[in-house]
Amino acid sequence: LEEIPPRPVQDTGNILKQGYLEKRSREHSFFGSEWQKRWCVLNRRTFYYYANEKSKQPKGNFSIENYSARLAFHLRKDSRKKCCFELICPGKRTYEFTAPSPAEAEDWVDQIQFLLKDLSSPTIPFDEEDEEELYNDVDSSDSVNTTSHNTTLNQDEPNAEVKEDDIYEVLPGKKPKPE
């Protein structure tokens, strides 16, 4: 396992989400589990938690790779049960949190799931609902106009030579083709 260097809140890199959450401690007291208020910071790969937002050293951190996030109403029996979520990874510690509101809990889960999809995919993730909107310009009249415009430019310059070989990269150990 690679060790994640501890960092002050300000130095955690590209912060995607941050805010106060209650984190369930690993040591359960005689009266049940303890919930502690923590300043939590999510960046591209790591989840950090601090005593407060001015802390120089995190109380802990973990790589979110291979984790999954989900709402977890079973974690509490009180009025804040709809504010709970957990981060789960087979063979690793499960982290349990309570957000200030149900909407905030949902937002943490959404952000983490989006990031996990991004980490596990070689391409940029997108919502299926937006797929049509993102890709419908491929067959639009703009691309047809661009093509005909380029053709018109080439016809205006009959003396211009087009070197097709220029678009290819010469690999090491290969000799370029003589012209």
Side-chain angles (χ1 to χ4, degrees), residues 2 7-8 14 16 60 62-63 76 83 88 106 115 138-139 147 149 160:
E2 67 183 63
R7 297 178 178 175
N14 186 8
L16 300 176
F62 58 96
S63 169
R76 294 179 81 135
C83 303
I88 303 163
E106 216 169 294
L115 193 57
V138 171
D139 295 309
T147 306
H149 180 68

Side-chain angles (χ1 to χ4, degrees), residues 18-31:
Q18 61 185 342
Y20 277 107
L21 296 172
E22 286 183 26
K23 185 183 125 337
R24 185 182 249 174
S25 68
R26 207 185 327 210
E27 299 86 36
H28 301 305
S29 74
F30 178 73
F31 299 106

Side-chain angles (χ1 to χ4, degrees), residues 6 82 132:
K82 292 201 183 303
E132 187 179 332

Side-chain angles (χ1 to χ4, degrees), residues 14 17 19 31 38 46 48 53-54 62-63 67 98 123 128 151 164 168 171:
N14 186 8
K17 184 150 181 71
F31 299 106
R38 295 286 181 243
T46 310
Y48 296 89
E53 61 205 283
K54 293 175 179 55
F62 58 96
S63 169
Y67 269 84
T98 303
T123 58
E128 282 78 12
T151 307
E164 289 184 33
Y168 297 104
L171 297 173

Side-chain angles (χ1 to χ4, degrees), residues 127-161:
D127 290 337
E128 282 78 12
E129 297 164 10
D130 296 339
E131 184 176 6
E132 187 179 332
E133 184 180 320
L134 286 172
Y135 296 105
N136 70 356
D137 63 352
V138 171
D139 295 309
S140 72
S141 60
D142 287 347
S143 61
V144 172
N145 289 344
T146 306
T147 306
S148 63
H149 180 68
N150 287 344
T151 307
T152 306
L153 275 179
N154 289 341
Q155 288 171 352
D156 289 346
E157 303 171 28
N159 296 334
E161 287 185 40

Side-chain angles (χ1 to χ4, degrees), residues 47 62-72 85-90 92-97 108-117:
F47 192 104
F62 58 96
S63 169
I64 65 158
E65 215 164 347
N66 301 318
Y67 269 84
S68 62
R70 67 180 182 199
L71 294 171
F85 67 96
E86 59 188 359
L87 297 172
I88 303 163
C89 182
K92 292 188 180 179
R93 177 180 173 190
T94 295
Y95 291 88
E96 302 167 333
F97 297 96
W108 275 97
V109 169
D110 289 348
Q111 288 290 330
I112 293 165
Q113 285 176 338
F114 179 82
L115 193 57
L116 290 167
K117 192 190 294 185

